[in-house]
Amino acid sequence: MSGTDPASVLDGARVMPVLTVRRVSTAGPLADALAAGGARCAEVTFRTPDAEQVLKEMAAHGGLAVGVGTILTPEQAERAVAAGARFVVSPGFDEEVVAKCRELGVPLVPGVATATELMRALKAGIDTVKLFPAEPLGGLRTLRALAAPFPGTRFVPTGGIDASRMAAYLAEPTVLAVGGSWMATTDHLRRGDYDEIRRLTAEAVERSRT
C-alpha cells in the first residue's frame, strides 16, 4: 500500500481512540496506558492550545501511530505533521487540506456527511473517509446508504459511537476502523485514571478482534 493510504498506517488496527488532551503532562502516561491496552494508533485533536506539544510527546512514545484530528487548514496540517503526526483527520472535505497532505506525503481521512462530499473525495483520489458525525447523522443506516452507490469506499465512522455500538459498525464490510473517545475521556484525563483508560482500551481492542 502507498504511504498515503490510511490502512498502511493503521496496520490492521480497527479501533482508534480519539483524544482531546488539554495538559502536556498527561501525554506520556496516556500513551503508556493506550499502548498497554493494545492500541496501535490514536488521534489527537488539534483544538487545544498545547496540541502540538502533546503530539510531540505521544509520537515520541514509539508504541503508537499517532495522528491528528480536527484539522481545518493546510497550515494546521503542516504544523501537526512537523510535530510528529503520521496521519491527518479532518471533520470535513477541503481541497487545500488534501493538497497539503499530499505534498507532505501523509494519509488524510476527510470527514463526509453527504454523497456529494463523498463524490468530491473520490474525485480527489481519496477512498477512505470519516463518516462524521456518525450517530447524529443516522448511524449504521446512513453508513450503509452512503456505501451502497460507492463500491470500494472505506469508512472510519466517528462521532457519538461508544463501546455498545462499536461492534455493529465493525461488522460492516465497508468499515476500516471506528473512532471513539470513550476509552480516554477528558474526565479520565482530569482524574489521571490511566488504569481505567488501559482497561477500556484493552476491552475495545479485544472486542474489535472478534
Side-chain angles (χ1 to χ4, degrees), residues 146-162:
L146 272 178
F150 303 105
T153 301
R154 299 171 299 182
F155 293 87
V156 181
T158 306
I161 300 172
D162 58 19

Side-chain angles (χ1 to χ4, degrees), residues 78-96:
E78 194 155 29
R79 283 165 47 204
V81 171
R86 291 183 55 195
F87 60 93
V88 173
V89 182
S90 59
F93 180 84
D94 182 90
E95 283 91 348
E96 292 182 358

Side-chain angles (χ1 to χ4, degrees), residues 17-44:
V18 178
L19 315 164
T20 300
V21 186
R22 303 193 182 281
R23 290 182 298 160
V24 176
S25 61
T26 65
L30 173 58
D32 288 339
L34 293 171
R40 293 157 67 180
C41 65
E43 173 193 328
V44 175

